[in-house]
Coordinates of all heavy atoms in Angstrom, one line a residue:
Q422 N -154.6 10.0 -9.4 CA -155.1 11.0 -8.4 C -155.1 12.4 -8.9 O -155.9 13.2 -8.6 CB -154.3 10.9 -7.1 CG -154.3 9.6 -6.5 CD -153.5 9.4 -5.2 OE1 -153.5 10.5 -4.5 NE2 -152.9 8.3 -4.9
Y423 N -154.2 12.7 -9.9 CA -154.1 14.0 -10.5 C -154.7 14.2 -11.9 O -155.2 15.2 -12.2 CB -152.7 14.5 -10.4 CG -152.0 14.6 -9.0 CD1 -151.4 13.4 -8.5 CD2 -152.3 15.6 -8.0 CE1 -150.8 13.3 -7.2 CE2 -151.8 15.5 -6.9 CZ -151.1 14.5 -6.4 OH -150.5 14.4 -5.2
L424 N -154.5 13.1 -12.6 CA -154.8 13.2 -14.1 C -156.1 12.4 -14.4 O -156.6 12.6 -15.6 CB -153.6 12.7 -14.9 CG -152.4 13.4 -14.7 CD1 -151.2 12.7 -15.5 CD2 -152.4 14.8 -15.2
G425 N -156.6 11.6 -13.6 CA -157.6 10.7 -14.0 C -157.0 9.3 -14.5 O -155.8 9.4 -15.0
F426 N -157.7 8.3 -14.2 CA -157.2 6.9 -14.6 C -156.9 6.8 -16.0 O -155.8 6.3 -16.4 CB -158.1 5.8 -14.1 CG -157.7 4.4 -14.5 CD1 -156.8 3.9 -13.7 CD2 -158.2 3.8 -15.6 CE1 -156.3 2.5 -14.1 CE2 -157.7 2.6 -16.0 CZ -156.9 2.0 -15.2
S427 N -157.7 7.2 -16.9 CA -157.4 7.2 -18.3 C -156.2 7.8 -18.8 O -155.4 7.2 -19.5 CB -158.8 7.6 -19.1 OG -158.5 7.6 -20.5
Q428 N -156.0 9.1 -18.4 CA -154.9 9.8 -18.9 C -153.6 9.3 -18.2 O -152.5 9.2 -18.8 CB -155.0 11.3 -18.4 CG -153.9 12.1 -18.9 CD -154.1 12.5 -20.4 OE1 -155.1 12.0 -21.1 NE2 -153.2 13.4 -20.9
A429 N -153.7 8.8 -16.9 CA -152.6 8.3 -16.2 C -152.1 6.9 -16.8 O -150.9 6.7 -16.9 CB -152.8 8.1 -14.7
L430 N -153.2 6.2 -17.2 CA -152.9 4.8 -17.8 C -152.1 5.1 -19.1 O -151.1 4.4 -19.5 CB -154.0 4.0 -18.0 CG -153.8 2.6 -18.7 CD1 -152.8 1.7 -18.0 CD2 -155.2 1.9 -18.9
S431 N -152.6 6.0 -20.0 CA -152.1 6.4 -21.2 C -150.6 6.9 -21.1 O -149.7 6.3 -21.7 CB -152.8 7.5 -21.8 OG -152.3 7.8 -23.1
Y432 N -150.2 7.8 -20.2 CA -148.9 8.3 -20.0 C -148.1 7.2 -19.4 O -146.9 7.1 -19.6 CB -148.9 9.5 -18.9 CG -149.4 10.8 -19.6 CD1 -149.6 11.9 -18.7 CD2 -149.8 10.9 -20.9 CE1 -150.1 13.1 -19.3 CE2 -150.1 12.0 -21.4 CZ -150.3 13.2 -20.7 OH -150.8 14.4 -21.2
G433 N -148.6 6.3 -18.4 CA -147.9 5.2 -17.9 C -147.4 4.3 -18.9 O -146.2 3.8 -18.9
L434 N -148.3 4.0 -20.0 CA -147.9 3.1 -21.0 C -146.8 3.6 -21.9 O -145.9 3.1 -22.4 CB -149.2 2.7 -21.9 CG -149.0 1.7 -22.8 CD1 -148.6 0.3 -22.2 CD2 -150.2 1.5 -23.8
V435 N -147.0 5.0 -22.1 CA -146.0 5.7 -22.9 C -144.6 5.6 -22.2 O -143.5 5.4 -22.8 CB -146.5 7.2 -23.2 CG1 -145.2 8.0 -23.6 CG2 -147.5 7.4 -24.1
S436 N -144.6 5.9 -21.0 CA -143.4 5.7 -20.2 C -142.8 4.4 -20.1 O -141.6 4.2 -20.3 CB -143.6 6.3 -18.7 OG -143.9 7.6 -18.6
F437 N -143.6 3.4 -19.9 CA -143.3 2.0 -20.0 C -142.5 1.7 -21.3 O -141.4 1.2 -21.2 CB -144.5 1.1 -19.7 CG -144.2 -0.3 -19.7 CD1 -143.6 -1.0 -18.6 CD2 -144.4 -1.2 -20.7 CE1 -143.3 -2.4 -18.6 CE2 -144.2 -2.5 -20.8 CZ -143.7 -3.1 -19.7
V438 N -143.2 1.9 -22.4 CA -142.6 1.7 -23.7 C -141.3 2.5 -23.9 O -140.3 2.0 -24.4 CB -143.5 1.9 -24.8 CG1 -143.0 1.5 -26.1 CG2 -144.8 0.9 -24.5
G439 N -141.4 3.7 -23.6 CA -140.3 4.7 -23.8 C -138.9 4.2 -23.1 O -137.9 4.2 -23.5
I440 N -139.2 3.9 -21.9 CA -138.0 3.3 -21.0 C -137.5 2.1 -21.6 O -136.2 2.1 -21.8 CB -138.4 3.0 -19.6 CG1 -138.8 4.4 -18.8 CG2 -137.3 2.3 -18.8 CD1 -139.5 4.1 -17.5
L441 N -138.3 1.1 -22.0 CA -137.7 -0.1 -22.5 C -137.0 0.1 -23.8 O -136.0 -0.6 -24.2 CB -138.9 -1.1 -22.7 CG -139.5 -1.7 -21.4 CD1 -140.6 -2.6 -21.7 CD2 -138.5 -2.3 -20.6
V442 N -137.5 1.2 -24.6 CA -136.9 1.3 -25.9 C -135.6 2.2 -25.9 O -134.6 1.9 -26.5 CB -138.0 2.1 -26.9 CG1 -137.3 2.6 -28.1 CG2 -139.1 1.2 -27.2
I443 N -135.7 3.2 -25.1 CA -134.5 4.2 -25.0 C -133.3 3.5 -24.2 O -132.1 3.8 -24.6 CB -134.9 5.6 -24.4 CG1 -133.8 6.5 -24.9 CG2 -135.0 5.5 -22.9 CD1 -134.1 8.0 -24.5
A444 N -133.6 2.7 -23.3 CA -132.5 2.1 -22.4 C -131.7 1.2 -23.4 O -132.3 0.1 -23.9 CB -133.2 1.4 -21.3
C445 N -130.5 1.4 -23.6 CA -129.6 0.7 -24.5 C -128.3 0.5 -24.0 O -127.5 1.4 -23.9 CB -129.5 1.3 -25.9 SG -128.6 0.5 -27.1
P446 N -127.9 -0.8 -23.6 CA -126.5 -1.0 -23.2 C -125.6 -1.2 -24.4 O -124.4 -1.4 -24.4 CB -126.6 -2.4 -22.4 CG -127.8 -3.0 -23.1 CD -128.7 -2.1 -23.5
C447 N -126.3 -1.2 -25.7 CA -125.4 -1.4 -26.8 C -124.3 -0.4 -27.0 O -123.1 -0.6 -27.2 CB -126.2 -1.3 -28.1 SG -127.5 -2.6 -28.1
A448 N -124.6 0.9 -26.7 CA -123.7 2.1 -26.8 C -122.5 1.8 -25.8 O -121.4 1.9 -26.2 CB -124.3 3.3 -26.7
L449 N -122.9 1.4 -24.7 CA -121.9 1.0 -23.6 C -121.0 -0.1 -23.9 O -119.8 0.0 -23.9 CB -122.6 0.7 -22.2 CG -123.0 1.8 -21.3 CD1 -123.8 1.3 -20.2 CD2 -121.8 2.6 -20.9

Side-chain angles (χ1 to χ4, degrees):
Q422 300 177 31
Y423 301 95
L424 303 171
F426 177 79
S427 177
Q428 187 74 356
L430 177 62
S431 178
Y432 284 177
L434 189 62
V435 167
S436 293
F437 178 79
V438 177
I440 291 168
L441 295 179
V442 171
I443 199 169
C445 179
C447 298
L449 276 175

